[in-house]
């Protein structure tokens, strides 16, 4: 059995999703896991009055060190049985810059800020508003009009320093949108943005 298949079956059998498998120099085998996600059954938004308030204990669970230890022990056994050659195994959670691999991942993180790297520059299709050789975009991920179509929406407003004053006459740049498909994207990742501000 192929290494990828062994890892997929082992991780799924323990109730986790396999996000990524990497082989690095020196025999390091890095496996990234996450908790399974179920797509909402209906796209119809419920009225706020019908949604019960979630108790504090119902916050979404994250991958723990114990989860990684459980998967590591099981993978070590499975890989040894299959004779997979590696020097060191590392199991971890996806982190804040999680790779979005497929349509399901994109649906799961719709509305989040993402970094999109295109395989080819956008060319002249943007009508001169965006540089024709630009391949990297950071913005909010939104579903497109057609199935399989996605959009990244951004503004090229410069980041402000804390306490910097803004003129009342200042007009922010307009939002821009770029449509893309997974076939056109070299990589789509969650943007690694950390905020230390309170809610």
């Amino acid at each position: 059995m192929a290494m990828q298949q062994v890892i997929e079956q082992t991780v799924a059998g323990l109730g986790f999703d396999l996000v990524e498998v990497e082989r690095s120099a020196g025999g390091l085998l890095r496996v990234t896991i996450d908790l399974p996600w179920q797509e909402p059954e209906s796209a119809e938004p419920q009225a706020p009055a019908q949604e019960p308030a979630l108790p504090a204990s119902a916050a979404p669970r994250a991958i723990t060190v114990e989860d990684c230890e459980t998967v590591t022990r099981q993978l070590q056994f499975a890989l040894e049985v299959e004779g997979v050659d590696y020097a060191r195994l590392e199991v971890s959670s996806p982190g804040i810059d999680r790779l979005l691999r497929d349509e399901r991942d994109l649906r799961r993180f719709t509305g989040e800020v993402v970094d999109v790297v295109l395989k080819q520059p956008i060319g002249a299709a943007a009508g001169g508003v965006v540089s024709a050789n630009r391949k990297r975009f950071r913005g909010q991920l939104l579903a497109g009009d057609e199935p399989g179509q996605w959009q990244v929406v951004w503004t090229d407003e410069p980041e402000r320093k804390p306490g910097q004053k803004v003129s009342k006459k200042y007009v922010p740049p307009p939002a821009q949108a770029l449509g893309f498909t997974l076939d056109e994207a070299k990589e789509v990742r969650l943007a690694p943005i950390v905020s230390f501000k309170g809610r």
Side-chain angles (χ1 to χ4, degrees):
M1 194 181 310
M3 178 191 73
Q4 180 81 18
Q5 195 176 357
V6 171
I7 295 172
E8 282 176 5
Q9 287 181 0
T10 304
V11 169
L14 292 169
F16 298 100
D17 279 346
L18 179 64
V19 176
E20 200 172 7
V21 176
E22 287 180 81
R23 284 197 91 135
S24 301
L28 173 64
L29 180 59
R30 183 176 289 122
V31 177
T32 308
I33 61 170
D34 200 0
L35 296 170
W37 175 73
Q38 295 296 323
E39 292 191 48
E41 291 184 22
S42 67
E44 298 174 20
Q46 293 182 349
Q50 296 174 347
E51 292 181 10
L54 289 174
S57 61
R61 190 172 93 78
I63 290 289
T64 64
V65 173
E66 290 77 18
D67 294 333
C68 294
E69 288 174 356
T70 301
V71 174
T72 299
R73 281 194 298 272
Q74 196 63 35
L75 276 177
Q76 286 172 332
F77 175 74
L79 293 171
E80 184 179 336
V81 167
E82 293 296 327
V84 175
D85 185 35
Y86 68 95
R88 191 164 57 99
L89 176 64
E90 182 181 290
V91 177
S92 65
S93 66
I96 60 174
D97 63 341
R98 177 196 172 119
L99 178 69
L100 307 183
R101 303 167 297 146
D102 52 32
E103 296 286 338
R104 188 168 182 263
D105 284 348
L106 293 176
R107 287 193 297 273
R108 177 177 181 175
F109 293 103
T110 297
E112 299 290 332
V113 178
V114 296
D115 289 325
V116 178
V117 181
L118 299 176
K119 291 177 183 173
Q120 300 292 326
I122 60 171
V129 178
V130 179
S131 170
N133 60 357
R134 185 170 176 180
K135 293 167 82 172
R136 296 178 179 273
F137 300 87
R138 173 175 284 185
Q140 185 180 27
L141 177 67
L142 299 174
D145 298 331
E146 301 286 326
Q149 290 282 332
W150 298 93
Q151 285 187 333
V152 59
V153 179
W154 77 95
T155 61
D156 286 325
E157 187 167 8
E159 197 171 316
R160 301 194 189 294
K161 295 178 184 172
Q164 182 180 358
K165 294 187 178 184
V166 180
S167 168
K168 292 180 181 177
K169 295 179 182 178
Y170 174 75
V171 178
Q176 300 178 62
L178 174 77
F180 69 95
T181 63
L182 267 179
D183 291 338
E184 296 169 330
K186 179 180 179 183
E187 185 177 86
V188 181
R189 286 188 178 270
L190 289 179
I193 299 172
V194 179
S195 174
F196 294 103
K197 295 179 181 176
R199 293 185 179 194

